[in-house]
Amino acid sequence: MEEVLSQYSILEDYKLPKPFGDGHINDTYLVESPRGKYILQRVNKNIFDTPVLVRNLSFLFEALNHYENRTGKKLTPAVFKNNSGKFHTPDHKGAAWRLMEFFPGCRSYAISPNENISYRGARAMGEFQLFLNTLPTEKFGQTIRNFHNTPARLKTFLKIVKEVPEKLKKLAAAEIQFAMEHQNIANALEQLLDTGSLPVRVTHNDTKLDNILFTNDGRVLIIDLDTIMPGSIIYDYGDMVRTFTSPVKEDEPDIHNHLFRIKHFLALTKGYLEPLKSTLTKAEKESLLLGAKAIIYEQALRFLTDFLQGNIYYKTTYREHNLIRTRTQIKLLKDMLIDENKLQQTLLVTLKSADK
Ligand code: ATP
Ligand code: MG
């Protein structure tokens, strides 16, 4: 870490960095020097294609600086260049590090505490997408291959389910049956993607609520930019629906506590579409709800596949941990499906009023 810290003159005479926050992928630290406090992050090189990520983000951060200066909007915490003028600093093991602006007293939420947070969080994501819409997709490579690809996740699940012992399958019989019976969600998405009617845009791809920072001076900022790459906006909308509407953590074992909170669905839909409304195509508008269903289905498949494979990807603290997570996603999706017509109607009304 020292070799990295020495690359930043603003960190001269720093105090020992302390682990910070509760991210699961990167290593995040708070570092203090006489000039102030900063966030230091080491990008996880086992998860991301580091050279691609460094290229993507150096293009993005330059463009973001221009956009923020031009529009006067602040969208994300600033990233500081090192003494060589670069946004990332490599260490001798090939990992990339970066130094970011820190907001004392800021917070992010695993669960949305009220509709105002859902509205403001989604609105900030919509404003951020307006910026992403200005970027050329060909400048961005894939930092994780096939990151959001529901049809590919389904294929993997169908392959694994054939290979696992009957005894293990019995434990997850109901969940496997649900996954089998709802393949139409992945198929509908695959057909849509095949027609090429959804525009490929630069998108965030990890729009969960805890990737949004609420500062104590009232700003709402987007973080966790490592998965920014070409994709579809319907997945970004979908992951907000998945993470904003649930009132409890995704591994809460009591299934009755998992509810789809329609009020939060309304708030986030309004917030996201207000700034973005006029830039979306008809096909995108019509597919938003499919995006939400697909991402919840995809997440259920990923947890279930990992359970069947012996918990090799997600961190678990007990054997059924991934099975519990599968159940919570299925419950959320079931709730959504019950109210599907109502949700679609609400979406249309929101899009209409947003059009005015
Ligand atoms: P995830 O588990 O969501 O993939 P990650 O390991 O990729 O997380 P981030 O989401 O970038 O890491 O950051 C982890 C946490 O650190 C955030 O949830 C937030 O609480 C905190 N954090 C990150 N950047 C900042 C910042 N600039 N200012 C204050 N806190 C920050
Ligand atoms: Mg995060």
Side-chain angles (χ1 to χ4, degrees):
M1 192 191 281
E2 267 173 46
E3 57 170 319
V4 172
L5 295 172
S6 68
Q7 296 297 309
Y8 293 88
S9 46
I10 42 172
L11 291 183
E12 212 176 3
D13 297 326
Y14 66 83
K15 285 191 204 152
L16 203 64
K18 294 192 182 101
F20 185 82
D22 43 22
H24 298 300
I25 304 293
N26 297 322
D27 294 317
T28 304
Y29 302 89
L30 185 65
V31 50
E32 194 173 345
S33 83
R35 303 251 198 127
K37 289 182 179 173
Y38 306 91
I39 290 284
L40 176 72
Q41 269 189 330
R42 174 172 54 192
V43 180
N44 189 330
K45 67 182 167 68
N46 299 324
I47 303 265
F48 299 104
D49 182 328
T50 302
V52 170
L53 179 144
V54 167
R55 265 200 308 278
N56 281 1
L57 290 182
S58 60
F59 182 83
L60 182 117
F61 292 145
E62 288 291 359
L64 185 60
N65 283 343
H66 286 129
Y67 185 88
E68 289 184 338
N69 288 336
R70 183 163 61 78
T71 59
K73 288 179 190 166
K74 172 121 181 114
L75 301 176
T76 76
V79 179
F80 298 101
K81 287 182 174 172
N82 63 20
N83 294 344
S84 319
K86 304 266 191 258
F87 288 111
H88 285 93
T89 305
D91 65 18
H92 67 279
K93 289 184 175 160
W97 296 69
R98 62 185 164 232
L99 190 71
M100 291 183 288
E101 185 178 10
F102 172 66
F103 294 87
C106 67
R107 62 164 307 177
S108 54
Y109 301 88
I111 295 155
S112 179
N114 57 57
E115 288 143 64
N116 191 32
I117 289 288
S118 292
Y119 171 78
R120 289 172 60 217
R123 196 181 163 96
M125 200 56 86
E127 297 273 1
F128 187 62
Q129 185 60 45
L130 280 184
F131 156 65
L132 295 180
N133 283 348
T134 67
L135 305 177
T137 50
E138 61 274 15
K139 288 281 183 189
F140 291 79
Q142 291 196 33
T143 55
I144 301 178
R145 292 195 76 71
N146 273 338
F147 185 56
H148 282 312
N149 188 334
T150 315
R153 302 281 186 192
L154 176 60
K155 280 193 192 94
T156 309
F157 164 73
L158 292 172
K159 181 173 163 285
I160 297 298
V161 91
K162 278 195 201 137
E163 293 167 2
V164 294
E166 284 304 317
K167 218 170 135 196
L168 188 60
K169 270 202 269 192
K170 264 200 185 139
L171 291 176
E175 291 72 28
I176 293 174
Q177 190 183 347
F178 182 91
M180 289 296 189
E181 286 172 0
H182 290 79
Q183 295 180 45
N184 62 321
I185 296 175
N187 296 338
L189 192 77
E190 190 164 27
Q191 274 171 18
L192 185 68
L193 295 174
D194 283 351
T195 62
S197 54
L198 284 183
V200 178
R201 299 176 187 268
V202 179
T203 52
H204 184 285
N205 294 305
D206 195 8
T207 54
K208 57 185 182 175
L209 182 61
D210 64 8
N211 284 334
I212 302 173
L213 273 188
F214 296 80
T215 72
N216 62 3
D217 61 355
R219 294 170 200 240
V220 190
L221 304 173
I222 306 301
I223 59 168
D224 215 340
L225 311 181
D226 301 314
T227 49
I228 289 183
M229 52 186 152
S232 167
I233 212 151
I234 68 170
Y235 276 119
D236 276 5
Y237 172 74
D239 218 15
M240 283 192 286
V241 174
R242 186 179 78 83
T243 56
F244 289 39
T245 58
S246 178
V248 285
K249 287 191 175 161
E250 67 189 5
D251 61 354
E252 153 70 41
D254 187 348
I255 207 71
H256 301 295
N257 291 335
H258 286 272
L259 302 165
F260 184 85
R261 295 183 297 177
I262 290 192
K263 283 186 176 165
H264 286 261
F265 173 84
L266 295 179
L268 80 90
T269 299
K270 189 166 179 281
Y272 189 58
L273 293 177
E274 268 174 7
L276 260 193
K277 56 193 179 190
S278 54
T279 70
L280 299 187
T281 66
K282 188 165 172 280
E284 283 176 314
K285 289 176 185 172
E286 286 170 359
S287 318
L288 288 169
L289 206 61
L290 176 60
K293 287 191 293 181
I295 204 119
I296 302 172
Y297 180 62
E298 175 181 308
Q299 199 57 56
L301 286 178
R302 292 178 65 188
F303 287 141
L304 184 54
T305 305
D306 200 33
F307 172 73
L308 296 173
Q309 284 185 301
N311 307 316
I312 54 178
Y313 183 82
Y314 294 104
K315 280 183 198 158
T316 51
T317 49
Y318 53 96
R319 195 170 81 134
E320 276 84 28
H321 207 157
N322 275 318
L323 188 57
I324 294 290
R325 290 174 174 140
T326 309
R327 282 184 191 146
T328 67
Q329 299 303 299
I330 289 179
K331 171 68 165 60
L332 200 63
L333 183 51
K334 278 184 178 166
D335 278 8
M336 251 193 95
L337 293 174
I338 290 170
D339 279 327
E340 188 171 356
N341 289 339
K342 195 164 137 197
L343 298 178
Q344 188 64 45
Q345 277 307 316
T346 320
L347 247 170
L348 291 177
V349 171
T350 311
L351 280 164
K352 274 221 176 95
S353 62
D355 268 345
K356 277 179 198 153

